[in-house]
Amino acid sequence: MKSKLILLILVLVALVVTLAACGGTAETTANETTTVPVVTTTPLDGDDAMAAYEYVSEKMNALKGFEATLIEEQTVGFNNTKLEMVAKINLLDGKKGFISTKLDDKGSTLDMTYIDGVVYCLMKSPGVEMKYKTQEESLINSFEEMFNSFEEVEESKIESVSFGERENGVYTLTATFAKEKALDVLMKQYEELGIDESALTDIQCTAEIICNADGYATRVTQKITYTLQGMACSVISDGTYINVGTLPEITAPADAYSYVNRDEME
């Protein structure tokens, strides 16, 4: 579970630099001053795709949170796994997070709410419900990874950005990253298995970002491909944002008093 959560975090990484601004000019004559109307544009309408990418990054980072549905498909050779979840982050007032993960096709789910350093877990499966709270380091670290998705990606890890379709208020950008960005994510999984990064070759990492005219991302699809000991592998993460441009409300469960401490269950 921990490695899956960490891989999904990759969906939202890539985000911060400087917001571009445009101003107006004034023409002065001997008798009057005429102000030329200010025409407001953003880098999304310009020719510099990297500037547009940075603009969207700044807008998303400034929100200090998001709500999104996330789907990750991981392929290693002929083996394929799929994970679906809803994720929420609100960092405007402290660190608050929520993850709801689909565990199987029988209706089993795991909801985790992180508030004030405590993780509230609700596991449901047909006919069974389990509630507990914990300060387990691995779970807290998973949330911290999500919070850190707002950190700036080093410029050296962004190789190029290009425009896709730009029409009807919908903008598409495609970013290509250096392999180090993918390794940062993949090795969090493979180190636990005792696999050295030298075993991973042919690494490529790209992301398609779709945003609205206000610069808020509506969908991010990121793809990592690589070869592991001769096997073709990939991690495809697809995130669709909900209530774009707003912060979700995250509170402790209404019945938090009924959640028992994890150590009391052992």
Side-chain angles (χ1 to χ4, degrees):
M1 174 64 68
K2 178 184 174 183
S3 63
K4 288 294 184 182
L5 293 176
I6 291 174
L7 284 173
L8 276 170
I9 293 158
L10 191 60
V11 174
L12 299 169
V13 177
L15 312 173
V16 185
V17 182
T18 305
L19 177 64
C22 300
T25 60
E27 297 180 355
T28 304
T29 67
N31 299 319
E32 62 180 358
T33 299
T34 302
T35 301
V36 178
V38 175
V39 179
T40 302
T41 63
T42 73
L44 289 171
D45 298 305
D47 298 322
D48 188 339
M50 180 65 77
Y53 175 86
E54 293 170 350
Y55 173 70
V56 175
S57 297
E58 174 67 20
K59 296 285 285 191
M60 294 299 292
N61 185 62
L63 272 178
K64 298 302 180 186
F66 67 86
E67 179 178 2
T69 60
L70 307 176
I71 299 175
E72 180 202 84
E73 292 191 61
Q74 184 174 8
T75 300
V76 178
F78 294 105
N79 297 317
N80 180 272
T81 59
K82 183 178 181 180
L83 186 65
E84 300 179 37
M85 67 164 60
V86 172
K88 299 179 183 180
I89 288 179
N90 187 326
L91 303 181
L92 192 62
D93 182 23
K95 292 183 175 181
K96 300 177 182 180
F98 172 82
I99 300 173
S100 179
T101 307
K102 179 181 177 182
L103 300 178
D104 55 38
D105 294 328
K106 299 179 181 180
S108 300
T109 59
L110 172 62
D111 292 353
M112 295 187 291
T113 305
Y114 178 88
I115 292 179
D116 297 330
V118 178
V119 181
Y120 297 89
C121 300
L122 172 61
M123 183 177 293
K124 291 183 179 180
S125 58
V128 179
E129 183 176 283
M130 181 184 299
K131 301 177 182 178
Y132 63 91
K133 57 186 176 181
T134 181
Q135 292 177 296
E136 184 180 342
E137 184 177 355
S138 63
L139 289 181
I140 291 177
N141 287 343
S142 293
F143 277 99
E144 289 294 334
E145 289 283 353
M146 292 183 66
F147 301 148
N148 292 340
S149 67
F150 288 95
E151 291 184 350
E152 180 177 357
V153 174
E154 295 177 18
E155 186 175 345
S156 61
K157 293 183 180 180
I158 305 174
E159 293 186 341
S160 65
V161 182
S162 61
F163 282 115
E165 294 184 2
R166 291 188 285 177
E167 56 183 22
N168 301 321
V170 178
Y171 300 80
T172 302
L173 296 164
T174 299
T176 300
F177 300 92
K179 71 176 184 179
E180 286 77 14
K181 180 176 185 294
L183 279 172
D184 287 345
V185 176
L186 295 175
M187 291 314 299
K188 288 173 182 175
Q189 176 183 10
Y190 284 117
E191 281 179 345
E192 295 180 355
L193 302 176
I195 297 176
D196 187 79
E197 67 178 55
S198 62
L200 308 179
T201 59
D202 305 319
I203 300 171
Q204 296 185 12
C205 181
T206 61
E208 181 183 78
I209 302 98
I210 300 175
C211 64
N212 60 22
D214 293 325
Y216 294 114
T218 58
R219 185 174 182 179
V220 176
T221 303
Q222 190 156 263
K223 183 176 183 180
I224 297 175
T225 59
Y226 61 101
T227 300
L228 173 63
Q229 299 174 343
M231 296 184 296
C233 307
S234 65
V235 180
I236 301 175
S237 302
D238 190 2
T240 300
Y241 290 87
I242 302 170
N243 300 319
V244 177
T246 63
L247 277 176
E249 182 178 355
I250 302 174
T251 60
D255 58 347
Y257 62 87
S258 66
Y259 283 60
V260 298
N261 291 317
R262 177 67 178 269
D263 55 5
E264 296 177 1
M265 301 172 59
E266 298 176 351

